[in-house]
Amino acid sequence: MIEDVYKTITKPSEETLFKDRNSKFFGYAFPVQTEEDIKKRLEELRKLHHTARHHCYAWQLGTEKTQFRANDDGEPNNSAGQPIYGQIQAFNITNVLIVSVRYFGGTKLGVGGLINAYRTSAQLALEASDIVEKTINVEYILTFGYDRMNKVQQIIKKQQLHIIEQKLELNCEYIIAVRKKESEAIFTMFTNLFKVEIKENE
């Protein structure tokens, strides 16, 4: 059975607040696609909370191959970034950045207290997010002559495929998105169509 769904969020969460012994932890969850997106979001929060002492975060990108990072931003090792990342795993979510911004309240919380605070802050941010399930898709490029248009359209309609873009010039070119688990069958269908070329979109 091919796993071809993943969970993510579609828009930034509401700001959440967790307090412990006068320390305040503001939590945020952002949908991200690239490390560039992550950098931008972190910069925005640093401007917004420029007097905060710590901007701790964790992120995960990718669907089948994932990459992640956890950052303690000056807190004791593994007391902030890892507990935040733990929540990303607990919610089984990807393409997401979770940031917890801490204002120190004068009382040290100790490593156990910090782990609990950052974990709770991340959990609140994710609970305040719209989590959706999406499918992992494969993109194909179809090239064919106008005389094949009806045949191609019939398959697209019947299989409920999504056309991402189309170019109609000397030949027709469609880029279509296909759910991963159906991709082999769809590939075969178009391969067997006379005078239609199909290849994966790199």
Side-chain angles (χ1 to χ4, degrees):
M1 189 48 198
I2 297 175
E3 260 309 300
D4 71 347
V5 290
Y6 64 96
K7 286 186 193 153
T8 190
I9 60 176
T10 50
K11 58 179 193 283
S13 69
E14 300 286 315
E15 177 184 275
T16 59
L17 174 60
F18 176 72
K19 289 181 188 165
D20 187 358
R21 283 163 280 181
N22 292 330
S23 270
K24 289 179 181 171
F25 297 83
F26 289 94
Y28 301 89
F30 297 105
V32 286
Q33 295 294 332
T34 62
E35 290 194 45
E36 202 44 52
D37 293 347
I38 293 164
K39 236 166 63 186
K40 259 194 219 131
R41 290 300 191 179
L42 289 169
E43 279 164 17
E44 283 166 21
L45 285 182
R46 288 212 167 90
K47 278 185 195 141
L48 184 66
H49 293 286
H50 56 93
T51 57
R53 192 175 286 193
H54 304 283
H55 290 71
C56 303
Y57 63 89
W59 54 260
Q60 179 158 288
L61 291 176
T63 48
E64 290 154 289
K65 289 192 192 107
T66 54
Q67 53 183 130
F68 73 92
R69 186 164 301 151
N71 189 315
D72 297 315
D73 195 33
E75 293 283 31
N77 253 357
N78 296 330
S79 67
Q82 263 325 112
I84 294 171
Y85 182 60
Q87 288 304 303
I88 292 177
Q89 289 176 301
F91 279 76
N92 188 20
I93 189 170
T94 192
N95 294 342
V96 70
L97 163 69
I98 311 280
V99 188
S100 182
V101 178
R102 181 190 184 193
Y103 286 88
F104 183 55
T107 309
K108 291 204 163 168
L109 303 183
V111 169
L114 287 172
I115 288 172
N116 178 58
Y118 282 109
R119 181 173 58 225
T120 307
S121 177
Q123 183 187 339
L124 291 172
L126 280 166
E127 283 170 357
S129 302
D130 279 338
I131 296 175
V132 295
E133 203 169 68
K134 290 190 167 186
T135 56
I136 297 171
N137 294 329
V138 177
E139 286 185 14
Y140 289 127
I141 300 173
L142 297 173
T143 315
F144 51 93
Y146 284 91
D147 56 334
R148 302 273 81 195
M149 175 82 87
N150 279 349
K151 280 275 181 235
V152 170
Q153 287 287 13
Q154 274 169 9
I155 294 181
I156 286 174
K157 214 168 175 174
K158 195 172 167 206
Q159 303 299 327
Q160 297 173 335
L161 303 177
H162 179 58
I163 300 174
I164 304 168
E165 58 178 86
Q166 47 185 354
K167 283 193 208 126
L168 305 175
E169 288 163 3
L170 286 173
N171 269 332
C172 308
E173 187 180 287
Y174 282 1
I175 297 179
I176 57 169
V178 181
R179 264 189 83 156
K180 189 166 182 207
K181 65 178 180 194
E182 294 158 6
S183 60
E184 277 184 31
I186 298 293
F187 187 85
T188 307
M189 251 177 236
F190 282 113
T191 306
N192 292 338
L193 251 195
F194 182 54
K195 291 203 305 199
V196 174
E197 250 180 70
I198 180 166
K199 62 175 189 203
E200 204 166 321
N201 193 13
E202 292 305 330

